[in-house]
Amino acid sequence: MIESAARALAKELVSRREEINRELSRNGVRFGVYKDGEYHDRLFPYDPVPRIIESDEFDRLEAGLKQRVQALNAYLNDIYSDKQIIHDGVVPEEFVYTSAGYYPQVNGVTPPGGVFAHIAGEDLVQGEDGRWWVLEDNLRIPSGASYPLFARDIERRINPRLFRNVHVRDNRDYSRLLRKAMDFVSTGGIAVVLSPGRYNSAFFEHAYLAEQTGATLAFPEDLEVVDNRLFFLDYAGNRHRVGVVYRRLADDYLDPFAFNPDSVIGVPGLLSAYRAGNVSIVNAPGNGAADDKAIYYFVPQMIRYYLGEEPILSNAPTYMPMFEKDRGEVLDRIGELVIKDVAEAGGYGVVFGKDLDRRERGELADRIKAEPRRFIAQEVIQFKDLDVVDSTTGETVPRKADLRAFVLTGQNTHVWYSGLTRYSSVPGQMIVNSSQGGGFKDTWVLAPETKDSVRQSDEVTSVNLIPHVRKHALQLVTASKADNLYWLGRYTERVFTTLVQFYPFYDRVMDENADAFRPFAHALDLPEDFEDFDAFIESFLYDGDNPDSVRSAIVRAFNNAVILRP
């Protein structure tokens, strides 16, 4: 009954697809993609047909995800301290120390609260037989929670009555769970979300989560380390102690003193403050040692080793070319398997053997023989298609889709009652990453049939965000944000004054020849040698490639406003 009501609600949302996508675009829900060395900002396409997961099915997923993340946290604590799992021969040391995500700079460091992976993004697919498989663990800076969170908010506001009779578990607890985890590990001081800047692919999420958690959005130039303590600098140069940093940039760029010395987007000395126990970093540096695609092979053994339990969720059947027996299997069946480069992410470096010709398979086999640690191979899982509304025809079509579930750990471990369902835009394509041109849809987890059947562990302790979600005091405005505020005003004023002058003049001369408009162009210091009057007007108003156009000024105002959001 609950599922049929949910599907009826989903049909209602289909008719509002364009309306919801416009609202997402208006609020800056974008996803950046780098192509040919250039940054392209585009709408992250939303599909109104949600993934629906039944209550009992999600309960099993929840138990398996908690188990997996607890084991991964235990593994990170172990390999950066006693390394007992290596001594006991469960994970060979060559796999640990050759991982690109292992950083000796944090060896011997236990993070505040003892938590390494505060936010885990677990990528799963559901086979055609209904069985769930874990494809990947993301323990560094997993992104994507903000998109279904924001989309659900729009779905509710479009027609609040629709959700009253459909018992879908509430997904609004994400920001409270995140803030609760941040507060648990804080060393005292304010909480900040550290973003590399406006042109990061997930900048919308940085700004939105800062707003929702009541944390301060900070850029690297807003932070400084003094006496192994991290401070936030306001516009007047005053320092404010930082107790926890939710960082949204990779380890290599986090601190030029400790990692990549060429990084210009890091905070010099941040790792020293972290090592001294004076600031917590969410997620902890060095977590890549546990989400390496080769280490993934050993996660079921970790669960047995650390927890003494059998894994609830299964890995995809995986082969390790580093092991001679597995290498032979991979080379013999290279045309049947999917080969993954462990150094790549975002859907890159994934090759389906069936798509290669004889020469390409031979070349890939030679690379595997030469660098066996660099690759893993997996059986191809025929995972389920989900219904997607084709943006061109409006028809419902099947597309491959995965699920990124989010697991948050502070004092306790919680699985978010939602997730990011990503789908491929190409029929039959099995790579669904956002960076590969796919879209997203909401994930509805159905509530139990009766309230009495909700288990005690399902109840989430509320976190009071009122003290955090206050209006930001003027003292927390940085010099860079003051600059953004200034330019927001300037570009907005430019648009307003230009249009106020333009329309009356245009109204008088639009039925005249081009010469009548030249005085206006001269007054605005615009080119006066145009021949096609209508083309000139079109470019002046709407051409995004024309730096003098009204549209360009609006875009610049918008880009400054996005940074000022939280």
Side-chain angles (χ1 to χ4, degrees):
M1 235 174 104
I2 292 177
E3 185 174 2
S4 61
R7 296 197 183 282
L9 170 56
K11 288 181 180 178
E12 171 71 20
L13 292 175
V14 169
S15 65
R16 298 172 180 263
R17 179 179 182 273
E18 292 304 320
E19 185 180 346
I20 294 173
N21 269 306
R22 278 197 305 272
E23 185 72 6
L24 292 170
S25 180
R26 188 180 72 80
N27 281 274
V29 182
R30 318 287 292 181
F31 192 89
V33 176
Y34 284 92
K35 187 176 182 180
D36 299 327
E38 294 185 359
Y39 177 83
H40 300 272
D41 197 32
R42 68 177 182 86
L43 178 70
F44 193 12
Y46 159 85
D47 183 77
V49 184
R51 177 195 285 274
I52 298 175
I53 303 176
E54 295 186 31
S55 179
D56 291 345
E57 182 179 13
F58 187 83
D59 288 344
R60 184 174 184 278
L61 279 176
E62 181 180 29
L65 291 167
K66 283 183 178 181
Q67 179 193 62
R68 192 174 182 96
V69 171
Q70 287 167 357
L72 287 165
N73 263 309
Y75 172 74
L76 285 163
N77 184 60
D78 188 8
I79 63 165
Y80 284 117
S81 57
D82 298 334
K83 302 172 177 55
Q84 198 61 46
I85 198 168
I86 298 174
H87 299 324
D88 289 341
V90 179
V91 179
E93 64 178 347
E94 59 266 29
F95 281 94
V96 177
Y97 300 131
T98 58
S99 169
Y102 179 83
Y103 284 90
Q105 297 94 319
V106 293
N107 193 41
V109 179
T110 300
V115 181
F116 285 78
H118 313 79
I119 308 159
E122 298 294 309
D123 291 347
L124 306 105
V125 294
Q126 187 175 24
E128 293 176 342
D129 60 356
R131 182 180 180 183
W132 287 93
W133 303 84
V134 180
L135 288 189
E136 210 169 271
D137 307 289
N138 297 277
L139 308 179
R140 287 175 255 194
I141 41 176
S143 65
S146 63
Y147 301 105
L149 185 63
F150 194 79
R152 180 80 63 86
D153 184 53
I154 294 174
E155 291 166 0
R156 284 192 185 95
R157 285 189 282 114
I158 280 179
N159 192 339
R161 289 175 296 178
L162 292 175
F163 279 90
R164 290 175 190 164
N165 297 321
V166 179
H167 299 287
V168 177
R169 297 197 201 187
D170 199 333
N171 75 343
R172 285 174 287 190
D173 276 325
Y174 185 83
S175 55
R176 289 197 289 273
L177 292 172
L178 176 55
R179 183 65 198 227
K180 184 179 179 182
M182 293 170 71
D183 287 345
F184 175 70
V185 299
S186 177
T187 59
I190 67 171
V192 302
V193 175
L194 174 59
S195 171
R198 167 73 182 84
Y199 293 104
N200 182 269
S201 63
F203 180 75
F204 162 77
E205 179 159 276
H206 307 172
Y208 183 68
L209 291 180
E211 176 186 291
Q212 292 297 303
T213 59
T216 299
L217 181 66
F219 303 115
E221 63 269 22
D222 301 328
L223 302 174
E224 73 171 0
V225 175
V226 179
D227 295 331
N228 277 348
R229 285 176 170 79
L230 182 65
F231 293 92
F232 174 88
L233 298 176
D234 65 27
Y235 73 102
N238 299 315
R239 294 186 180 127
H240 304 267
R241 174 79 185 274
V242 177
V244 57
V245 177
Y246 176 20
R247 53 78 175 245
R248 295 302 300 256
L249 64 162
D251 290 351
D252 276 345
Y253 303 102
L254 198 56
D255 180 351
F257 288 175
F259 302 113
N260 184 349
D262 296 325
S263 173
V264 294
I265 58 172
V267 181
L270 176 58
L271 192 69
S272 295
Y274 171 71
R275 288 179 61 91
N278 293 328
V279 68
S280 182
I281 300 177
V282 176
N283 280 334
N287 277 11
D291 69 10
D292 182 307
K293 289 183 177 67
I295 295 299
Y296 160 94
Y297 178 90
F298 299 99
V299 175
Q301 290 97 304
M302 291 179 201
I303 293 170
R304 298 183 184 99
Y305 181 78
Y306 292 116
L307 306 182
E309 301 169 358
E310 283 301 308
I312 297 171
L313 297 175
S314 300
N315 277 11
T318 304
Y319 304 97
M320 296 286 292
M322 277 281 282
F323 299 143
E324 186 175 348
K325 180 181 177 182
D326 281 10
R327 184 164 62 249
E329 181 84 10
V330 170
L331 296 175
D332 289 344
R333 300 179 54 219
I334 198 166
E336 305 170 25
L337 303 173
V338 55
I339 312 298
K340 296 182 178 180
D341 187 328
V342 302
E344 297 283 357
Y348 297 99
V350 178
V351 177
F352 287 84
K354 64 181 178 59
D355 296 333
L356 304 179
D357 59 29
R358 187 186 185 92
R359 179 185 59 80
E360 290 170 330
R361 289 179 189 177
E363 291 175 352
L364 180 58
D366 290 341
R367 291 171 61 200
I368 292 172
K369 292 174 188 174
E371 299 179 90
R373 171 62 175 86
R374 184 177 171 178
F375 299 94
I376 63 169
Q378 293 178 327
E379 299 287 353
V380 177
I381 296 175
Q382 296 300 326
F383 54 97
K384 286 175 68 173
D385 290 312
L386 296 183
D387 287 342
V388 172
V389 177
D390 188 284
S391 59
T392 305
T393 65
E395 297 178 354
T396 300
V397 295
R399 293 288 185 270
K400 298 297 182 185
D402 74 353
L403 172 66
R404 173 166 290 181
F406 290 88
V407 185
L408 296 100
T409 302
Q411 187 173 8
N412 299 298
T413 299
H414 298 280
V415 179
W416 184 37
Y417 290 150
S418 187
L420 176 67
T421 292
R422 299 173 296 184
Y423 65 87
S424 168
S425 58
V426 179
Q429 180 173 290
M430 302 182 79
I431 300 176
V432 300
N433 300 69
S434 316
S435 54
Q436 301 294 302
F440 81 98
K441 53 174 67 204
D442 196 2
T443 305
W444 292 359
V445 178
L446 300 183
E449 289 284 350
T450 62
K451 190 174 181 181
D452 293 339
S453 65
V454 178
R455 293 179 292 113
Q456 184 68 29
S457 59
D458 286 335
E459 297 176 5
V460 179
T461 303
S462 179
V463 179
N464 183 11
L465 285 182
I466 298 300
H468 308 303
V469 191
R470 64 184 180 4
K471 292 183 179 178
H472 286 285
L474 183 61
Q475 64 181 6
L476 293 183
V477 175
T478 62
S480 61
K481 287 186 181 178
D483 191 55
N484 293 128
L485 187 61
Y486 170 79
W487 285 107
L488 171 62
R490 284 297 303 272
Y491 284 117
T492 304
E493 178 190 36
R494 179 180 299 179
V495 171
F496 177 77
T497 56
T498 299
L499 293 178
V500 163
Q501 295 296 320
F502 169 78
Y503 279 115
F505 196 88
Y506 179 70
D507 187 57
R508 291 197 301 271
V509 304
M510 62 181 175
D511 52 357
E512 302 285 340
N513 60 36
D515 291 335
F517 199 77
R518 296 190 202 282
F520 182 82
H522 179 77
L524 292 183
D525 198 27
L526 297 172
E528 301 174 45
D529 56 348
F530 52 83
E531 295 296 333
D532 187 333
F533 179 55
D534 294 323
F536 172 82
I537 295 299
E538 178 79 16
S539 174
F540 172 67
L541 291 177
Y542 307 117
D543 187 359
D545 294 326
N546 177 3
D548 297 319
S549 72
V550 172
R551 177 176 179 173
S552 291
I554 292 173
V555 169
R556 292 190 184 103
F558 176 81
N559 288 342
N560 281 280
V562 165
I563 293 173
L564 292 166
R565 175 173 185 154

